[in-house]
Amino acid sequence: MFYCRKKVSVCCQRWSFAVPFLLYMILFGVTWMLSFPLKSLPQQIGPIYSQTEIKKLTNHVDAVRLERDGDVNINFHKDVIIGDVKEGPQYEDPKTLLENIFKNADVSGDGLLSLQELSDWINKKIQEHINEALRDNFGLFDAIDNNPKNGVISWEEYHTYFLRQKGFSKEYAENHDKKHRGLNRSIKEAVMRDRASWSEAAHSDPDHLTLDEFLSFRHPESSHATIIALVDELLDKFDRDGDEILTEDEFSVLQTEGDGEKEGETLTQGEDERRKEFRDVIDRNHDGKADRKELLMYNDPKNPRHAHEEAVALLVLSDADHDGSLSLQEILNKMDLFLGSKMVDTAYSFHDEF
């Protein structure tokens, strides 16, 4: 009996130490996890769309845009315009901003934005953004290329410029701790993002960028090299006979990869949409084939089709009364959607895609 009591007493003493220790470890673990934002989660809550709206969007799209790897993406408008909601630009008075844009885009002055008016406005903003990027690229390149001035920009030259733009002193920017100890998390993450983008743009030398590579680094949507890369990806994906020309059948009839012993299966799902895309958008001279020039035009962000596709998506998701046009109130009802679109912030929308 005494032995049992002693055993119970020892167990109780052990638990009296173990329980507080376990609670402390759990509290420490939770606190540590919360201090690091999960990259897989969106940083802010955006607009929520019903399955009916998404289905309407897919059914109303005139053409089906390709993904970066060459696959036709029937959810393009959902991916690009809704997408994984990220922390975007903040506006002091977004309502007034949208009201002003609406007034300027409403060319007819009837208080409604037609699909054509919306498409024309977005196309105008795309042209302005790309032209501005091309115009400013040389001046910025020339200003950063100074140590030494040799016709290429080194990572150190760019990084010094970056730190100066963030408000750091010239002395710190030129002699900073390589690991940036003491800098806040957002600055460190921005440096990491820039380094990753730099690596993608630097084709000839991993530590230096040429003028066009610098354009690709800062504005990949404006770089001819980026468009050529997209065409190469397209041909690599679909050009089965290797003649660098896409036929309608090559583009439209997909096959899965075989296992080495037998050929892959033919996929028919989405074939009609692919054929429509090829005939209406890609094959400019309607000869049943698409050469590099046609594929370059197809992928060029300045092609009006991109503005039209986004306008269709915005209209389908926002046209509450189904009259085929948008009122100011309908746009304000979907404020987050429009603020993240090329209708408002073309640069942010492009850079989110690329």
Side-chain angles (χ1 to χ4, degrees):
M1 186 71 175
F2 174 79
Y3 173 76
C4 292
R5 288 179 180 176
K6 184 177 181 181
K7 185 176 182 180
V8 170
S9 176
V10 171
C11 291
C12 290
Q13 288 178 357
R14 288 177 179 174
W15 277 106
S16 66
F17 287 107
V19 171
F21 178 76
L22 288 174
L23 291 175
Y24 173 80
M25 291 303 295
I26 292 172
L27 179 61
F28 176 81
V30 171
T31 303
W32 182 81
M33 290 178 65
L34 290 177
S35 66
F36 296 92
L38 298 178
K39 290 186 178 180
S40 60
L41 295 177
Q43 298 300 307
Q44 72 179 47
I45 298 176
I48 299 175
Y49 302 97
S50 68
Q51 290 300 316
T52 302
E53 287 177 307
I54 299 302
K55 184 175 180 181
K56 283 168 54 184
L57 172 61
T58 304
N59 292 339
H60 284 74
V61 172
D62 291 338
V64 184
R65 177 170 172 168
L66 293 176
E67 291 179 327
R68 291 289 301 275
D69 63 0
D71 285 333
V72 169
N73 180 8
I74 61 173
N75 293 317
F76 162 70
H77 295 99
K78 174 178 176 291
D79 293 340
V80 172
I81 299 178
I82 304 171
D84 295 326
V85 180
K86 301 176 182 178
E87 186 175 355
Q90 304 297 314
Y91 302 99
E92 292 184 3
D93 190 353
K95 183 175 181 292
T96 300
L97 175 64
L98 288 173
E99 288 173 348
N100 291 334
I101 291 175
F102 183 91
K103 181 179 179 180
N104 290 325
D106 181 19
V107 178
S108 66
D110 63 354
L112 294 171
L113 282 187
S114 66
L115 175 61
Q116 189 62 52
E117 286 175 325
L118 184 56
S119 179
D120 288 345
W121 175 264
I122 294 173
N123 186 52
K124 175 186 175 184
K125 302 306 291 183
I126 290 175
Q127 308 300 320
E128 289 177 354
H129 168 71
I130 293 178
N131 290 335
E132 181 181 2
L134 292 170
R135 184 177 62 250
D136 295 345
N137 186 62
F138 179 79
L140 184 58
F141 183 93
D142 186 63
I144 297 175
D145 174 26
N146 56 32
N147 188 27
K149 202 169 193 66
N150 56 357
V152 291
I153 290 178
S154 68
W155 169 254
E156 285 303 319
E157 285 175 321
Y158 170 75
H159 192 48
T160 299
Y161 160 79
F162 169 85
L163 292 173
R164 294 286 286 147
Q165 289 297 109
K166 293 296 182 180
F168 293 97
S169 67
K170 182 180 179 180
E171 181 181 0
Y172 177 85
E174 294 178 351
N175 303 281
H176 63 275
D177 176 3
K178 301 299 182 182
K179 294 186 178 180
H180 296 298
R181 294 182 180 88
L183 294 188
N184 64 52
R185 185 184 181 88
S186 63
I187 296 291
K188 291 181 180 180
E189 288 179 344
V191 172
M192 292 173 64
R193 286 195 300 270
D194 274 354
R195 191 57 176 166
S197 298
W198 179 282
S199 297
E200 290 184 10
H203 298 296
S204 53
D205 181 346
D207 295 319
H208 296 82
L209 296 183
T210 63
L211 181 62
D212 189 61
E213 287 172 341
F214 185 64
L215 178 64
S216 182
F217 167 63
R218 296 187 66 248
H219 299 284
E221 73 285 351
S222 305
S223 170
H224 194 64
T226 301
I227 302 174
I228 291 175
L230 292 175
V231 171
D232 288 339
E233 289 177 7
L234 246 177
L235 290 170
D236 183 63
K237 183 76 174 181
F238 293 107
D239 182 21
R240 289 191 284 272
D241 58 10
D243 62 354
E244 296 207 342
I245 292 177
L246 285 188
T247 65
E248 182 178 327
D249 286 339
E250 283 178 327
F251 180 78
S252 306
V253 181
L254 300 182
Q255 289 185 329
T256 60
E257 295 183 2
D259 59 5
E261 297 181 0
K262 61 180 181 179
E263 295 183 358
E265 299 178 353
T266 300
L267 302 178
T268 58
Q269 184 177 9
E271 182 180 339
D272 291 341
E273 289 85 353
R274 292 172 182 270
R275 290 191 181 277
K276 179 175 176 58
E277 173 83 345
F278 188 89
R279 293 169 184 169
D280 296 350
V281 184
I282 300 177
D283 183 14
R284 307 275 296 191
N285 60 5
H286 305 293
D287 63 353
K289 298 178 292 185
D291 58 18
R292 272 188 169 273
K293 182 178 179 181
E294 287 172 312
L295 293 175
L296 284 169
M297 294 177 66
Y298 171 74
N299 282 282
D300 188 348
K302 295 177 75 171
N303 188 323
R305 77 176 181 89
H306 298 290
H308 175 75
E309 289 174 357
E310 182 149 350
V312 169
L314 292 171
L315 181 66
V316 169
L317 290 173
S318 310
D319 185 16
D321 58 10
H322 312 296
D323 65 349
S325 57
L326 294 178
S327 66
L328 176 59
Q329 189 57 52
E330 285 174 324
I331 289 176
L332 294 178
N333 289 342
K334 300 284 188 179
M335 184 177 291
D336 289 342
L337 174 68
F338 284 90
L339 290 176
S341 74
K342 293 181 181 65
M343 176 183 174
V344 176
D345 195 323
T346 311
Y348 172 78
S349 181
F350 260 132
H351 294 177
D352 194 33
E353 291 176 35
F354 283 85

